[in-house]
């Protein structure tokens, strides 16, 4: 009997990417859109160190285990979802426990962290990112400015009658945050100019 490799429990960000209406497509089209998704993921991960990610195959998409800052995982999820010319994608983003045997191509990864991300992706509409409450909480703890971009997306009940509360990036909140940052920067510049003028006078 072959012994299973030991899996070390860790917490990580997990982005589960599903291709919309995948099961409705002919087999040849499924293979084509899956290949394009894999190419898009490779391009998106090009600048990310190999030690910071694990790429897992899924029947209708790809799961990405991302170590490090939740804000970076959010940026990646949004980039994949909004990639021009690609198939509509449904993205679920979670922060939670996983068991991983290694951080390489032969790794075996499983756990609630992946299950919750897959559930979020299942509830997401095409072209949308749904974020779990644990991910939103971790983002709030590490980057409260980025957490301010998230808006409640409602509560959903799965087949096991479990209730899930999700959030989603809100473009309006993102614009408001950028406007606030621009206003702060402008205020700082005006303050410096005022001090210089006062000094000269």
């Amino acid at each position: 009997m072959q012994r299973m490799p030991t899996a070390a429990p860790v917490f990580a960000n997990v982005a589960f990417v599903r291709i919309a209406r995948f099961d409705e497509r002919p087999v040849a089209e499924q293979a084509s859109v899956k290949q394009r998704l894999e190419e898009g993921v490779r391009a998106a991960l090009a600048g990310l160190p190999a030690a910071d990610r694990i790429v897992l195959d899924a029947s209708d998409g790809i799961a990405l285990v991302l170590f490090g800052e939740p804000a970076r995982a959010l940026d990646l999820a949004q980039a994949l979802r909004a990639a021009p010319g690609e198939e509509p994608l449904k993205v679920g983003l979670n922060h939670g426990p996983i068991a991983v045997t290694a951080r390489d191509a032969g790794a075996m990864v499983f756990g609630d962290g992946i299950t919750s991300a897959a559930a979020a992706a299942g509830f997401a509409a095409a072209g949308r990112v749904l974020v779990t409450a644990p991910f939103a909480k971790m983002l709030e703890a590490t980057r409260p400015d980025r957490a301010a971009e998230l808006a409640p997306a409602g509560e959903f009940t799965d087949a096991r009658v479990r209730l899930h509360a999700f959030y989603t990036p809100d473009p309006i909140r993102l614009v408001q945050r950028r406007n606030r940052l621009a206003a702060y920067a402008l205020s700082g510049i005006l303050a410096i100019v005022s001090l210089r003028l006062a000094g000269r006078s």
Side-chain angles (χ1 to χ4, degrees), residues 158-169:
D158 63 19
R160 297 170 129 187
V161 200
R162 292 178 302 186
L163 193 64
H164 301 267
F166 295 121
Y167 300 82
T168 190

Side-chain angles (χ1 to χ4, degrees), residues 192-201:
I192 291 173
V193 171
S194 297
L195 288 173
R196 287 180 176 176
L197 291 174
R200 288 177 182 178
S201 62

Side-chain angles (χ1 to χ4, degrees), residues 116-195:
S116 295
F123 286 117
R128 194 179 190 195
V129 177
L130 282 186
V131 171
T132 65
F135 183 90
K137 184 176 181 180
M138 182 56 64
L139 188 64
E140 173 68 30
T142 56
R143 287 289 303 275
D145 59 318
R146 297 299 308 277
E149 299 173 19
L150 301 179
E155 296 181 336
F156 301 79
T157 304
D158 63 19
R160 297 170 129 187
V161 200
R162 292 178 302 186
L163 193 64
H164 301 267
F166 295 121
Y167 300 82
T168 190
D170 186 340
I172 295 177
R173 293 190 178 200
L174 176 59
V175 170
Q176 290 174 341
R177 184 177 75 87
R178 288 176 176 172
N179 288 343
R180 283 196 300 270
L181 291 176
Y184 294 151
L186 180 59
S187 298
I189 293 172
L190 292 175
I192 291 173
V193 171
S194 297
L195 288 173

Side-chain angles (χ1 to χ4, degrees), residues 54-144:
I54 300 174
V55 181
L56 305 172
D57 186 51
S59 60
D60 59 350
I62 285 178
L64 304 173
V65 178
L66 304 166
F67 303 98
E69 290 293 325
R72 185 172 63 178
L74 179 61
D75 289 337
L76 181 60
Q78 291 181 285
L80 288 172
R81 186 263 306 161
E86 297 298 328
E87 294 295 326
L89 300 175
K90 305 161 48 159
V91 184
L93 196 53
N94 182 47
H95 180 88
I98 62 170
V100 55
T101 58
R103 294 193 185 186
D104 54 33
M108 294 178 61
V109 185
F110 48 92
D112 289 342
I114 294 177
T115 303
S116 295
F123 286 117
R128 194 179 190 195
V129 177
L130 282 186
V131 171
T132 65
F135 183 90
K137 184 176 181 180
M138 182 56 64
L139 188 64
E140 173 68 30
T142 56
R143 287 289 303 275

